[in-house]
Amino acid sequence: MAESEEEWWNPHVKILPNGLAVRVLSEQEARFLYHEVFEEDVYFKHGITLPSDAPCVVDVGANIGLFTLYVLQRYPSARIVALEPLPPCFAALYLNVHEHNLTADLVNMGVSDIPRTATFTYFPHAPGNSTLYPMERRLLQSRAMGPRALADATTFGCPMTRLSEIFKDHHVDHIDLLKVDVEGEELPVLRGIDDADWPRIRQVVMEVHSLGNRLLDVLVLLRNRGFVALAERFPHNVKCNWNVYATRPQEQDLLPRLCLSR
């Protein structure tokens, strides 16, 4: 059943396969996100782990909050700062956190390297693909998304901030995991982190839309910041999309390196 415009603004309840009731904007996308986050455990691969005692996670591009819910289920003492710029997605994120009596710092802003108001294109049938770069999104559209996935688009003007400002405003002194899913804005997000803040970040997981040299630029930036970085091609028939996993080297003899996994 196609979602009505009213449902886009009033997220409806969907029961996930694990019995969790969540507010969703697109049932098809929610099923995909559930499989990716809860079943494939895509954000905890290639050595990505969290400490059992009060880990701190910054979720940039939180969408409706399934990753935030997943972390809080596994780590009830976790501290999460979740950022989502688009009003419909933020509404679902807010409801999903508060209706489960969970605690997280929820920020209705986007992230970049320059504070400003930016115009996002919102795809109501596929909210997680909403972006600052609609032409790029259409270029990368997977056949698996279906012909109507990017139909009925509208735009929102959303405030943007830098990650270092978020760290300061929310008193974040360390980050066990920085998760980034920003549909083309990956490099500006990383460039919005001050030199003094990089040592606070222990791990990074991010989706990268690799047009031009973007993937290489992300990997080199992370390497130069002292990470071991691995890029794995996105598994779901999405052209040019990669998941990047970055961890700090071990104390002994590991050196930062780049690694591509096909």
Side-chain angles (χ1 to χ4, degrees):
M1 181 184 297
E3 292 85 6
S4 70
E5 183 174 357
E6 181 179 352
E7 286 173 324
W8 302 343
W9 280 97
N10 297 284
H12 54 288
V13 175
K14 167 75 174 175
I15 307 299
L16 298 179
N18 64 354
L20 186 68
V22 298
R23 299 280 185 160
V24 305
L25 298 163
S26 161
E27 290 197 11
Q28 179 180 357
E29 184 171 90
R31 287 193 295 269
F32 170 80
L33 292 173
Y34 174 83
H35 176 69
E36 181 181 66
V37 174
F38 285 82
E39 296 179 338
E40 290 191 346
D41 212 14
V42 70
Y43 292 107
F44 293 95
K45 299 171 63 177
H46 303 295
I48 301 294
T49 61
L50 289 178
S52 58
D53 183 25
C56 180
V57 176
V58 177
D59 184 359
V60 181
N63 196 354
I64 64 172
L66 291 195
F67 176 71
T68 290
L69 293 180
Y70 180 67
V71 172
L72 289 172
Q73 277 195 335
R74 289 183 61 175
Y75 305 92
S77 63
R79 197 258 173 118
I80 297 187
V81 181
L83 299 103
E84 172 54 50
L86 287 153
C89 298
F90 185 81
L93 168 67
Y94 180 90
L95 291 171
N96 281 331
V97 169
H98 289 278
E99 289 181 352
H100 288 91
N101 297 313
L102 300 172
T103 300
D105 294 0
L106 305 180
V107 183
N108 189 192
M109 299 183 77
V111 177
S112 189
D113 54 346
I114 301 172
R116 67 190 192 280
T117 298
T119 300
F120 281 80
T121 297
Y122 174 69
F123 301 113
H125 304 292
N129 289 275
S130 302
T131 179
L132 291 168
Y133 308 100
M135 295 298 292
E136 177 179 306
R137 181 65 269 173
R138 290 185 171 95
L139 178 64
L140 296 175
Q141 181 180 4
S142 166
R143 293 179 182 178
M145 294 172 64
R148 281 184 50 79
L150 304 185
D152 304 315
T154 189
T155 59
F156 289 96
C158 302
M160 307 287 283
T161 188
R162 299 172 65 251
L163 265 180
S164 282
E165 293 302 311
I166 291 295
F167 300 159
K168 180 173 66 176
D169 292 346
H170 292 265
H171 308 288
V172 176
D173 59 6
H174 76 282
I175 302 97
D176 291 299
L177 178 61
L178 172 61
K179 172 260 186 185
V180 180
D181 186 354
V182 289
E183 304 300 317
E185 190 72 353
E186 297 87 13
L187 278 167
V189 167
L190 297 179
R191 290 169 178 160
I193 301 172
D194 292 340
D195 291 347
D197 287 329
W198 276 103
R200 307 174 193 266
I201 302 170
R202 189 168 71 88
Q203 301 171 117
V204 180
V205 177
M206 61 193 304
E207 180 182 316
V208 177
H209 292 183
S210 183
L211 291 182
N213 293 324
R214 187 181 296 156
L215 176 62
L216 181 60
D217 289 344
V218 165
L219 291 171
V220 168
L221 187 155
L222 291 170
R223 181 199 63 185
N224 290 341
R225 294 297 182 174
F227 289 91
V228 173
L230 180 148
E232 181 176 74
R233 192 180 296 278
F234 204 70
H236 298 292
N237 192 32
V238 180
K239 295 179 289 186
C240 302
N241 280 20
W242 296 74
N243 288 326
V244 171
Y245 302 85
T247 57
R248 295 291 183 186
Q250 298 297 319
E251 293 181 1
Q252 51 271 29
D253 57 355
L254 264 180
L255 295 176
R257 66 186 185 275
L258 304 182
C259 180
L260 300 182
S261 175
R262 295 186 180 276

